[in-house]
Amino acid sequence: MEWVKARGDDLVIPFSGAYENRLFDMPDDEAKALVAETKVPSMLPKIISNGFKVSLYTTYCKQAASMLATTAPPNLLCSLWEASVWGPTAIHLIYFFTAGDDEVKCWQIRKGTKAPQAAGTIHTDFERGFICAEVMTYEDLHELGSENAVKASGKYRQQGKEYVVQDGDIIFFKFNVTTKGK
């Protein structure tokens, strides 16, 4: 704790990669039983909820690495790079994108997340009223150059509630939420 306090007293999240991998690879009911037995919950929800801060930290690390490139020991630069590049992969995080006319947003979810739950990371109404996900891959968009070209090639597809979002998917969610009592 002294080390943390000496560096600004930032948020510390205890994390075990081996334990998280074990939980991730178990069926949900077995994972819940293990958490109840050990009284050690997964830290991934807390890590994901602090994703914005992690994103800022990653940007800081990249800037620090470029500034330190001439004076920093190689092992420090390697550690900074590994943490920013391999950290999300090590804890089973992937990215998907949403795009509008004027912006593109990147969203972080756990590997294995189905489309409705991925939509729920944007807004709970998206998950509640989920109809389908229109999906294209970043690779297809990059290769073909436009959304219309992806559609024309037949690589733009509609996916239902059981679709597992893949790293790099570009998704347009269709949803409909009606209010009760009208």
Side-chain angles (χ1 to χ4, degrees):
M1 290 307 284
E2 293 301 318
W3 185 88
V4 174
K5 288 183 182 190
R7 285 157 183 80
D9 205 21
D10 287 333
L11 174 68
V12 174
I13 301 173
F15 175 79
S16 164
Y19 182 72
E20 296 294 345
N21 273 328
R22 189 171 162 202
L23 285 177
F24 183 81
D25 291 337
M26 291 179 163
D28 286 343
D29 58 334
E30 289 179 30
K32 286 178 184 175
L34 179 63
V35 167
E37 176 187 326
T38 61
K39 295 183 177 45
V40 178
S42 171
M43 288 292 111
L44 289 181
K46 192 169 190 177
I47 291 169
I48 292 169
S49 71
N50 286 286
F52 178 70
K53 291 179 185 176
V54 170
S55 175
L56 289 177
Y57 176 73
T58 301
T59 302
Y60 169 77
C61 284
K62 288 177 184 174
Q63 290 172 349
S66 68
M67 288 187 293
L68 297 172
T70 56
T71 59
N75 61 341
L76 171 64
L77 295 178
C78 182
S79 296
L80 289 172
W81 181 81
E82 286 177 356
S84 65
V85 173
W86 296 110
T89 302
I91 56 174
H92 302 288
L93 297 178
I94 63 169
Y95 301 97
F96 74 93
F97 302 90
T98 56
D101 292 336
D102 60 344
E103 68 178 352
V104 174
K105 289 197 175 192
C106 178
W107 305 90
Q108 193 175 52
I109 56 173
R110 279 188 82 173
K111 185 177 182 181
T113 300
K114 293 185 178 179
Q117 288 70 42
T121 63
I122 299 169
H123 195 284
T124 55
D125 284 349
F126 281 33
E127 181 175 1
R128 193 164 48 100
F130 180 86
I131 296 171
C132 74
E134 294 183 349
V135 181
M136 64 180 152
T137 66
Y138 171 79
E139 290 79 17
D140 290 340
L141 179 63
H142 184 71
E143 177 187 324
L144 299 170
S146 72
E147 182 178 336
N148 287 337
V150 174
K151 287 179 179 178
S153 71
K155 294 183 176 183
Y156 191 88
R157 57 203 191 280
Q158 288 191 339
Q159 300 290 347
K161 292 181 179 185
E162 295 303 312
Y163 176 69
V164 176
V165 175
Q166 301 300 307
D167 194 25
D169 278 351
I170 301 168
I171 305 176
F172 177 77
F173 291 105
K174 289 188 174 182
F175 70 101
N176 182 27
V177 176
T178 59
T179 57
K180 294 182 180 179
K182 283 193 172 183

